[in-house]
Amino acid sequence: MAAGARSGEPERKAGKPEQQPRLRADAARNRERIIAAARETMVEFGAEVPLDEIARRAGVGNATLYRHFADRLELIHHVTLSVMSRTADRAESALAEESDAFQALRRFVHDAVEERIGALCPLLSDGVDRDHPELVAARERLEAAVEAVMAAARDSGGLRTDIAVGDLMVAITQLTRPLPGSRCGNFDQFVHRHLQLFLDGLQTPARSELPGTAATLDDLRRRS
């Protein structure tokens, strides 16, 4: 029945072509609301949060959720893509809009909190195909965007030279990962305080020699 309705839809709307873009826009907004709600609820409750809770948070019905995402893994896949894409956007914007290179790095690190980057690793460990072409492309774009911010800060003399992208992303991930069942009050307030302390430690001149070697994202993947 539903399939028949869909196949007949172009004929019913042939006389009203202006409605088609509106329908596509509505569907796109629903999809984005579902992804945003999934990101929020998975941060709060973990990757196994009930899908009906995600639909409720997004303000859509369960049927709408399943029209866009066949199952939990497909939804996690797109949440992961969204987190990486939006985080790369933040890095690119910070570099383009800040005149001070180290300030661009500061801005990016604090902005990454808003994208819930700390929830990314747990999602990737939950059966998602890390080698999926979409994820590989998103990961490469993110790494290039963050490296560009770091390179500018390094070239300006503000960022110590023994830090690589992997080091930065590990620190952001650990410092922004939510505490399960936490009742510590305004968690984001503490996150930004600790991120600021971390950023102070990245500035030159370095106060100590770091053990080991700088880590890339490839290093992190090989060790996981």
Side-chain angles (χ1 to χ4, degrees), residues 12 26 29 84-85 153 195:
R12 292 196 306 270
D26 287 348
R29 281 194 294 271
M84 288 196 287
S85 175
L195 285 173

Side-chain angles (χ1 to χ4, degrees), residues 35-217:
I35 291 173
R39 185 172 65 242
E40 292 173 3
T41 54
M42 287 177 182
V43 166
E44 292 176 30
F45 305 112
E48 294 304 314
V49 61
L51 295 183
D52 58 354
E53 171 60 22
I54 294 173
R56 186 195 67 77
R57 185 78 65 95
V60 302
N62 288 2
T64 300
L65 187 151
Y66 281 109
R67 275 199 298 272
H68 288 284
F69 306 102
D71 54 29
R72 182 181 303 276
L73 282 181
E74 184 179 352
L75 179 55
I76 290 174
H77 171 85
H78 285 280
V79 168
T80 304
L81 284 175
S82 174
V83 171
M84 288 196 287
S85 175
R86 290 167 60 95
T87 304
D89 288 344
R90 298 274 200 170
E92 290 165 357
S93 295
L95 184 59
E97 296 168 10
E98 297 292 338
S99 58
D100 180 272
F102 198 87
Q103 178 56 34
L105 179 61
R106 286 188 186 276
R107 171 175 156 179
F108 163 68
V109 168
H110 286 286
D111 282 353
V113 175
E114 308 306 322
E115 297 306 330
R116 304 304 192 191
I117 192 69
L120 184 60
C121 286
L123 293 182
L124 284 174
S125 66
D126 199 44
V128 172
D129 178 9
R130 300 186 186 201
D131 296 322
H132 189 287
E134 289 180 330
L135 287 177
V136 171
R139 189 166 59 231
E140 289 175 349
R141 181 193 167 211
L142 173 59
E143 185 167 7
V146 178
E147 175 53 41
V149 175
M150 295 181 69
R154 195 181 296 117
D155 292 345
S156 74
L159 176 65
R160 54 192 296 169
T161 58
D162 54 352
I163 297 292
V165 175
D167 298 306
L168 184 70
M169 298 310 289
V170 164
I172 294 174
T173 299
Q174 294 300 321
L175 287 171
T176 61
R177 185 171 294 180
L179 303 175
S182 174
R183 295 292 182 269
C184 295
N186 188 348
F187 182 68
D188 283 347
Q189 174 187 344
F190 296 106
V191 167
H192 287 288
R193 282 177 58 83
H194 294 143
L195 285 173
Q196 195 68 21
L197 287 170
F198 165 69
L199 284 161
D200 287 348
L202 295 185
Q203 290 186 281
T204 54
R207 294 179 177 273
S208 64
E209 183 176 344
L210 295 176
T213 58
T216 66
L217 292 188

